[in-house]
Structure formats: structure tokens, C-alpha cells
Amino acid sequence: MTTEPSTSTRSEPDAVARILAAAATLFAEHGYDRVSMNQIAAAAAVSKANVFHHFSSKKELYLAVVRGACNAAERLRTLGEPGGPVSRRLPDYAEGMLRDMLEHDQIHRLMMRELLTDRDDRFDRDLAERVFGDTFARLVAILRSAQETGELRREIDPAMVATLLIGASVFFFQSREVLRHFPDVRFAQDPSGYSRMLVDLLLNGMAATAEPATRKIRKDAV
Amino acid sequence: MTTEPSTSTRSEPDAVARILAAAATLFAEHGYDRVSMNQIAAAAAVSKANVFHHFSSKKELYLAVVRGACNAAERLRTLGEPGGPVSRRLPDYAEGMLRDMLEHDQIHRLMMRELLTDRDDRFDRDLAERVFGDTFARLVAILRSAQETGELRREIDPAMVATLLIGASVFFFQSREVLRHFPDVRFAQDPSGYSRMLVDLLLNGMAATAEPATRKIRKDAV
DNA sequence: GTCTATATCGCGATAGAC
DNA sequence: GTCTATCGCGATATAGAC
């Protein structure tokens, strides 16, 4: 007769959800080893014993958090499927990827941390890898089809382009705080400018054309 | 009268050196938090107390290791100064950078770990950043001079190219174990092939040229 | 489900003999 | 300089009342 959703006494936003949220934030910020169950419990406003009641170990809690992050990351990737010339889709794709990372900073930091951890130290040895691999494969497929329509040079290895595109975005994401301090860098706080320049560079290269006179109008003002 | 180098009893390759070497390996492999002074002492074949005798804390030992890695990384960077057309020097530069990273895996893992650590959690807040910044600034200077001689397009931001070049190398370095598992990727174990493709892509772009006959003209597909 | 209280362990760091 | 032995603390994890 009551409106109780399940077994909860009457209940807050659900202790489990609070624990997961607190753990996600802390793990993303500081990494597994620098976060204690005490901190997580405090941040979630529950007792430490309660955390252990819901998650049998710290490791298991961490896994639950990483799984959540991977699922979320997978759900975010809706772009890329519909058609159109790649040279038009690519800027959006790159900018979308970068914006996703920045907006869902936490999720992606967790995923990147997991990918960069030595395989033997990792808890789940291929979850993040699988999610990342899917994104990668989809991007390669798009590039390959653009080669078949003749839009992109055939000598190029599409996996190479995908690596470069993703790598440049990941590197920007990881290093923006460091890059910000370099006097030469003006794009550290302008992700959309960065991805536009990135795609332009990838498409057109940086070598000067031989005859400036006959140049086919390339004035992508940066 | 004796041949004793200094104060050592008679001594092995020097306990301090052994400790530093063991610590460097372990820190590079697993990170600061997952390595204990016990492990380091065991790997260096000395007692834990002896480690504390030479380094007053774990933190200080770690700092000594990172400083050593940064110095080593700085010493490695001899390329880039002499002249010549950038389009010829760049492939060597990129390949050299990548080969350095792979050959001195340990040093660079340590430096990257330090760069990717949140600024507030970092022990030395700008050592690695300074070393990395020097490399970056030197590369930017080379690219900028190539723009002034007209070899590279003037609209391009040299810092952008440097970011892309370094980012692509760093990403390859970090992710080669993951990339190796992707069916589309054939270059994961061929760093020199990777850097050649990388520079070619950066110089010439991937867009198909409109008229293969008059190929100097590269038409923007956009 | 949630708490307080406690067990147990391994860590960084120290004391003091040799 | 090097060792053995040990301290003190905070970590994960558990026991058991409510």
C-alpha cells in the first residue's frame, strides 16, 4: 500500500547510487590507490560498513564504477552512422568526440586510466578495451568507405587516420592543463578550434602548395 | 692507499645506484602507489632500513628517480638543431622521438605518468612539465622557421602541428599494447612505419587530389 | 539496511646494535 | 653503511546490535 519502491526504509536517492557517484568522482580524480573506503563513505554520507554491505570489496566497487563508465561512454557514441561526404562529417565527429570527453570528463578519465593501466595490473582486463575498440572500428569503417568512393587517397591506411584522430583528441584531453602553460599554445581552452584545425590539417596537410597562384582557394581562416 | 672509491666498505655496484635502478623499474611499471619500500629494498637486495638511510622518505626517493628520468630524457634530445628542409628532417625527428620513447621505455613511462598526474597530486609540480615544454618549444621554433622560408603553409598554427606530432607519438607509445589487439591495426609493432605514415599524412593530407595529372594543386574537398 | 566497534594486516618510518 | 626488530598508523574488511 505504501509508495516504497522496494526494500528501502523510505530512502534518499538510494545509498547505492550515492556510493557509486561518490566513488566515480573520487576514482576519476585521484585513481584507485589514492582513494580510501573511508573517503568514499564520507562523500556518500553513509558509514564505511554500509559501503562494504553493498560492495563486497573495494575492488568490486571499482569494477562497478568502471562498468558504469564504459556503458555511459558507449551510450554517448551515436554519431557517425548516417551518410554524407566524410570531409563534412569529420569536423563534427572530431568536435563531438572532444566535447563528449570534456563534458563527461569523469567517465572518460576513468576509461583512460583503465586503458593506460598495465594489462596485468588491471582488474577487468578487457572491458574498456572492448568499448574503445568498437569506437575505433566504427571510425575505420567510415574512413574506408570514403576511400572506396574516391573521396580519400587510397594509399592512406584508414586505421592510421583513426589512430591519429583519436590520439590527437585523447592527447588534447589529457594534456590541456599542461599545454595551457606553454606560451606557444593558444588553443588549450578552445576545443572546437582545436578539432577544426586538426581535421583541416588531416585533410589538407601542411606542406605549401607549389604554385600559390593556381591555388584552389584554401582560406580556412584559423 | 687502497683503491676504494670513497666510503664504501668495498662494495658492489653501489647500493644507492641499485636502489635507484630498482625503484625506477618498479615505479615506471606500476606507479608510485602500487610499489612499497619493501619491494624496492628486496629488488635492490638491501634492507628496507638501508633505503631509508639513503633517502629520507619514499617521496624523496621517487623524486630522485623522476629527476634522473627527466635529465636522461633531456640528454636524449639532440635532434632538430641543424638546418635543412623540414620535410626531410621531420620524418627523422618523428621516428627518433618514437624510437627514444620505446628504447628508454622506463624513463618515458615515468615522465608521462608524472605529466598525466593531476597537478595537485603531483610531487614536483613542474619538473616534467619544464622538460616537456622545452622539447615542445624547440619543435615549434623549427616549424615556424619553415613557415618563414615558405616551405609550410602560413595559415597553419605551428603549435598545433607540434601538438599533433607529439600527441600522435605519445598516444602510440601509450596505446601500442591496446592497439595491437585491434584487427584493423597493422602498424602497432612497426613504429618506424607509423612515424613515416604520420609525417606523410601531416605534410600531404589525406584528401584525394582532384586532378592527378596536375597534382601540385590540392583541392579542398570541403 | 544501517550503524558502532573492532580485528587484522601491511605500510612508511625509526631505534639502535654492529 | 648496513642490518634486525619494532613502532604507530591507516588501510580493508568483519562482527553484531538496531
Side-chain angles (χ1 to χ4, degrees), chain B residues 76 95-108 173 176 191:
Chain B
L76 292 175
E95 191 178 340
M97 175 163 54
L98 209 44
R99 209 182 38 234
D100 271 359
M101 289 199 226
L102 295 168
E103 265 172 30
H104 307 86
D105 186 289
Q106 201 180 83
I107 292 167
H108 287 92
F173 176 70
R176 60 196 198 279

Side-chain angles (χ1 to χ4, degrees), chain A:
Chain A
M1 291 291 182
T2 70
T3 53
E4 290 169 13
S6 60
T7 55
S8 172
T9 55
R10 192 160 23 100
S11 99
E12 309 293 305
D14 203 349
V16 175
R18 285 207 315 278
I19 293 169
L20 281 169
T25 303
L26 288 167
F27 283 141
E29 195 100 5
H30 307 290
Y32 181 84
D33 300 285
R34 298 202 185 175
V35 174
S36 75
M37 294 298 255
N38 269 318
Q39 289 174 261
I40 293 170
V46 295
S47 75
K48 181 168 55 167
N50 194 359
V51 178
F52 278 100
H53 172 72
H54 292 293
F55 301 93
S56 66
S57 70
K58 183 183 182 183
K59 198 160 158 172
E60 196 183 289
L61 170 56
Y62 179 74
L63 267 178
V65 169
V66 170
R67 293 211 177 92
C70 287
N71 287 340
E74 208 163 30
R75 237 175 292 121
L76 291 174
R77 294 269 101 251
T78 45
L79 309 113
E81 306 309 347
V86 161
S87 51
R88 294 191 74 86
R89 283 153 73 197
L90 224 45
D92 288 344
Y93 188 89
E95 192 178 340
M97 175 161 55
L98 210 44
R99 209 182 37 236
D100 270 0
M101 289 199 226
L102 296 167
E103 264 171 31
H104 305 87
D105 187 288
Q106 202 180 85
I107 291 167
H108 287 93
R109 281 166 83 134
L110 265 163
M111 270 204 47
M112 291 310 306
R113 244 187 236 281
E114 202 52 24
L115 279 173
L116 297 181
T117 300
D118 297 301
R119 228 160 180 278
D120 295 349
D121 290 4
R122 233 182 278 164
F123 295 144
D124 186 322
R125 283 223 297 286
D126 56 12
L127 174 63
E129 208 163 307
R130 228 170 38 233
V131 173
F132 178 53
D134 280 359
T135 304
F136 190 88
R138 230 173 299 162
L139 182 52
V140 168
I142 293 172
L143 292 166
R144 193 166 279 144
S145 77
Q147 284 184 309
E148 274 154 22
T149 68
E151 192 185 347
L152 298 184
R153 286 165 59 195
R154 282 210 165 68
E155 318 89 77
I156 299 280
D157 178 353
M160 173 74 206
V161 178
T163 305
L164 199 44
L165 200 58
I166 293 176
S169 302
V170 167
F171 185 72
F172 179 89
F173 176 70
Q174 286 178 343
S175 313
R176 69 205 129 106
E177 280 306 311
V178 173
L179 290 172
R180 226 163 53 81
H181 293 59
F182 294 174
D184 295 314
V185 174
R186 289 193 311 266
F187 46 76
Q189 273 151 329
D190 177 18
S192 102
Y194 178 82
S195 38
R196 265 189 290 108
M197 287 197 286
L198 166 61
V199 173
D200 173 59
L201 207 50
L202 248 44
L203 283 173
N204 303 316
M206 64 179 178
T209 55
E211 305 94 11
T214 50
R215 197 189 307 189
K216 205 110 182 211
I217 310 160
R218 189 211 329 277
K219 61 161 134 218
D220 345 297
V222 202

Side-chain angles (χ1 to χ4, degrees), chain B residues 52-214:
Chain B
F52 277 99
H53 173 72
H54 292 292
F55 301 92
S56 66
S57 70
K58 182 184 182 182
K59 200 160 157 171
E60 195 182 288
L61 170 56
Y62 178 75
L63 268 179
V65 168
V66 170
R67 292 211 177 93
C70 288
N71 287 340
E74 208 163 29
R75 238 175 290 120
L76 292 175
R77 294 270 101 253
T78 45
L79 308 116
E81 307 307 348
V86 161
S87 51
R88 297 189 72 86
R89 284 153 74 199
L90 223 46
D92 288 344
Y93 188 89
E95 191 178 340
M97 175 163 54
L98 209 44
R99 209 182 38 234
D100 271 359
M101 289 199 226
L102 295 168
E103 265 172 30
H104 307 86
D105 186 289
Q106 201 180 83
I107 292 167
H108 287 92
R109 281 166 83 134
L110 265 162
M111 271 204 44
M112 290 312 305
R113 245 186 234 282
E114 203 53 22
L115 278 172
L116 297 182
T117 300
D118 295 302
R119 227 155 181 279
D120 295 349
D121 290 4
R122 231 183 278 164
F123 295 143
D124 186 325
R125 282 224 299 284
D126 57 14
L127 174 63
E129 207 163 308
R130 228 169 37 232
V131 173
F132 178 53
D134 280 359
T135 304
F136 190 88
R138 231 172 299 161
L139 182 52
V140 168
I142 294 172
L143 292 166
R144 192 167 280 145
S145 78
Q147 284 183 309
E148 274 155 23
T149 68
E151 192 186 348
L152 298 184
R153 286 165 59 195
R154 281 210 166 68
E155 316 89 77
I156 297 280
D157 179 353
M160 174 73 207
V161 178
T163 305
L164 202 44
L165 200 57
I166 294 176
S169 302
V170 167
F171 184 73
F172 178 89
F173 176 70
Q174 287 177 342
S175 313
R176 60 196 198 279
E177 281 306 311
V178 173
L179 290 172
R180 226 163 53 79
H181 294 58
F182 294 173
D184 294 315
V185 175
R186 289 193 309 267
F187 46 76
Q189 273 152 328
D190 177 18
S192 102
Y194 178 82
S195 38
R196 265 188 290 106
M197 287 197 287
L198 166 62
V199 172
D200 173 58
L201 205 51
L202 248 43
L203 282 173
N204 302 315
M206 65 178 179
T209 54
E211 310 91 10
T214 46

